Amino acid sequence: MSHTSSPPPLHAHSHENTVPRPALFMAGTLVVLSLVLTAAVTFGFMEREAVPQVERAKASVSAAEVRTLRFEDAPNGDVRVNDATNNELILLVQSDTQSGGFIRGVMRGMARERRLYGIGQELPFELTLWQDGSLSLNDLATGRDIELGGFGSDNRAVFIRLLKNGEAL
């Protein structure tokens, strides 16, 4: 008697776990630990560390140079950077430049936050070069501070040019 056999499967299929259990356990532990530590800081059970404003205050670091600035969008996509005290044009950031892209990106984030709070463009921003060489941009309307040194020396230099001296310490 002849029996017809079915063709062999094209792909062997296995439900065996190929990731070792210890690796899965370690990955899960890392995720849970990250969530617990984040929640502990968020809810005040642990203090934040290395907040630049706090660390500068502890070390009595004062401002070496401060300039108040206004950023205005031009109809063609350029950004006008003006001194807020006398409305003098400091820099015209053209939309097609790489350094202009960093300024535009930072200011887009700041403007978004202002829109969330229903705040207009009346209050200027404060660019501060500190005695320790750090550089920060403070939104006087929302109180948000951005440490510009964390974005690399080239991007930091773009904002340094907006200071009156235009040079880092």
Side-chain angles (χ1 to χ4, degrees):
M1 183 193 249
S2 85
H3 290 281
T4 0
S5 63
S6 60
L10 296 176
H11 300 286
H13 185 73
S14 171
H15 291 281
E16 183 180 336
N17 187 1
T18 58
V19 179
R21 279 185 185 258
L24 288 174
F25 178 75
M26 294 294 281
T29 302
L30 183 62
V31 169
V32 169
L33 181 64
S34 297
L35 292 173
V36 167
L37 290 175
T38 301
V41 171
T42 301
F43 295 117
F45 298 117
M46 292 175 59
E47 286 191 35
R48 292 182 182 194
E49 295 292 325
V51 176
Q53 297 86 344
V54 173
E55 296 302 315
R56 280 195 288 264
K58 284 181 185 176
S60 299
V61 176
S62 60
E65 185 177 349
V66 178
R67 193 167 197 185
T68 52
L69 305 169
R70 290 194 193 281
F71 296 83
E72 301 170 1
D73 289 324
N76 65 352
D78 294 347
V79 175
R80 296 175 51 88
V81 183
N82 296 324
D83 186 311
T85 57
N86 58 15
N87 208 29
E88 170 193 351
L89 178 66
I90 299 169
L91 180 68
L92 179 64
V93 181
Q94 296 177 336
S95 59
D96 59 353
T97 62
Q98 184 175 359
S99 62
F102 179 65
I103 289 177
R104 295 163 62 81
V106 168
M107 298 318 300
R108 206 174 9 251
M110 297 288 236
R112 180 182 174 277
E113 188 165 358
R114 283 187 173 194
R115 278 193 307 275
L116 288 174
Y117 289 111
I119 300 171
Q121 296 182 12
E122 297 79 36
L123 288 175
F125 295 87
E126 191 173 75
L127 182 64
T128 306
L129 177 62
W130 299 93
Q131 287 178 331
D132 64 359
S134 59
L135 183 69
S136 64
L137 182 66
N138 180 6
D139 185 347
L140 297 177
T142 64
R144 181 177 179 197
D145 270 319
I146 295 181
E147 293 297 318
L148 298 168
F151 296 101
S153 59
D154 291 344
N155 289 327
R156 182 181 181 277
V158 169
F159 275 91
I160 285 285
R161 291 186 352 210
L162 303 178
L163 294 169
K164 289 186 180 180
N165 291 336
E167 296 177 10
L169 290 177

